[in-house]
Amino acid sequence: MNENLSPSSEKDNTTKDRQFVIALERGLDVLRVFDGDDFMLGNKEISERTGLPRPTVSRMTHTLLKLGYLEYVNKFEKYQLGPSCFSLGYRAMMSIETRDVARPFMQELADYTQTSVSLGAGEGMSMMYIENCRGKATLTLNLSVGSRLPILRTAMGLAYFVGLSPAKREEMIRLFQEKNPEELKQCQCYIDMALEQYKNFGFVVNIGTWNKNINAVGIPVVSQITGKVKAITCGGASFLITEDMIRKDFGEKLVKTGKKIEQALMCR
């Protein structure tokens, strides 16, 4: 798993927000632990990943199974995501206007740079790919729609972070302090660097931080109508895409692409 999840305490939630439904939060925590690496899990594994007690997990998985959000695989005695998740996810994807608006501009950049150009949205302590365009080069990033990445170690995540309002940044910092303080401590230097880069250049550079073989550049894209923040990255294999190429060419091109997308969103 890429994400270290732990349940919020009932006392804190009920004190701070009496409208907050803890049972719903826990059910969603169960669904979030399924990803590309762990697509089939048993109650014991789900309990270990969420920090929830086994009896609680058992009730959650039983309910989610009845509702179609989980399926039980008898052969392995484990659960996997069910059709209700896919239906909900598809409807959510179709409702994201940035995706349709951005795609032609992203493909144009991918063809020019011969890289992967990806659009992502924040989801808790992760970024989720919601669109991906590839150039014709043989070697591009092998990540598809639905893939999740860590926020504080990737160009996409850090670009999203710098695009947030100061209040939203503080909210995210508090989330990491509560659920994964070690990750926050290790990545503080990346956060500081990203904020400085964005201030000076308008983009965030990631040279082998998340993966030593991948270089990337990212920018936030903000809808002036809804205020929602997404992030776009341009990246690929480090032996094909050098830091010099990113800083002197691709970064500037990505910034221009982002402005085109934001202008197009205004015209929707």
Side-chain angles (χ1 to χ4, degrees):
M1 280 294 300
N2 292 330
E3 194 169 355
N4 180 18
L5 294 171
S6 62
S8 301
S9 70
E10 183 170 350
K11 181 179 178 180
D12 287 345
N13 281 325
T14 54
T15 300
K16 296 177 182 177
D17 187 354
R18 294 188 179 277
Q19 294 292 99
F20 193 89
V21 181
I22 296 168
L24 177 58
E25 179 198 31
R26 290 175 174 175
L28 293 173
D29 277 349
V30 169
L31 293 177
R32 288 193 187 102
V33 300
F34 293 86
D35 61 17
D37 297 323
D38 297 308
F39 62 92
M40 280 197 295
L41 297 169
N43 284 338
K44 180 176 182 293
E45 294 162 310
I46 295 171
S47 176
E48 291 171 348
R49 286 161 172 75
T50 60
L52 295 171
R54 286 279 296 276
T56 300
V57 169
S58 180
R59 292 195 298 272
M60 292 292 176
T61 53
H62 174 78
T63 303
L64 292 167
L65 179 67
K66 292 292 184 181
L67 295 173
Y69 289 97
L70 289 179
E71 289 183 332
Y72 190 70
V73 183
N74 288 307
K75 180 178 179 180
F76 300 103
E77 297 183 338
K78 292 185 177 184
Y79 296 93
Q80 64 183 18
L81 294 179
S84 292
C85 281
F86 303 133
S87 175
L88 188 62
Y90 177 78
R91 279 177 276 174
M93 291 288 289
M94 292 301 101
S95 70
I96 300 175
E97 62 172 352
T98 310
R99 183 171 176 261
D100 292 334
V101 171
R103 183 169 179 79
F105 300 108
M106 291 169 58
Q107 189 61 59
E108 181 182 1
L109 182 62
D111 291 338
Y112 172 80
T113 59
Q114 291 301 298
T115 65
S116 291
V117 177
S118 303
L119 175 68
E123 188 207 20
M125 295 190 292
S126 296
M127 293 297 294
M128 177 175 287
Y129 271 36
I130 57 177
E131 188 57 275
N132 189 32
C133 298
R134 293 183 172 90
K136 296 179 181 178
T138 305
L139 293 171
T140 54
L141 293 177
N142 188 27
L143 292 169
S144 58
V145 172
S147 296
R148 291 200 297 175
L149 299 174
I151 281 187
L152 303 183
R153 295 180 182 271
T154 60
M156 177 175 284
L158 290 166
Y160 171 77
F161 180 84
V162 300
L164 296 173
S165 67
K168 289 292 185 181
R169 289 180 200 161
E170 287 299 318
E171 186 178 314
M172 181 173 290
I173 293 298
R174 286 195 295 270
L175 177 64
F176 273 91
Q177 286 174 336
E178 176 188 348
K179 295 193 172 186
N180 200 341
E182 187 60 31
E183 175 74 355
L184 178 62
K185 180 180 179 181
Q186 293 177 5
C187 294
Q188 186 61 55
C189 59
Y190 304 145
I191 296 172
D192 296 340
M193 188 181 301
L195 289 168
E196 187 69 17
Q197 289 175 340
Y198 186 61
K199 177 182 177 182
N200 293 332
F201 309 113
F203 53 79
V204 172
V205 177
N206 189 301
I207 305 299
T209 300
W210 171 58
N211 183 316
K212 66 179 181 180
N213 297 315
I214 295 173
N215 293 338
V217 57
I219 59 165
V221 174
V222 184
S223 169
Q224 299 304 310
I225 297 174
T226 65
K228 298 295 184 181
V229 181
K230 304 290 188 298
I232 295 183
T233 57
C234 170
S238 57
F239 64 89
L240 291 176
I241 304 169
T242 66
E243 181 176 359
D244 196 55
M245 293 166 66
I246 285 176
R247 292 188 181 278
K248 294 183 178 180
D249 188 11
F250 294 176
E252 182 181 344
K253 292 289 193 304
L254 182 59
V255 170
K256 290 181 179 178
T257 297
K259 289 179 179 177
K260 290 178 183 178
I261 293 170
E262 289 180 342
Q263 290 172 358
L265 285 170
M266 289 285 290
C267 298
R268 292 282 285 191

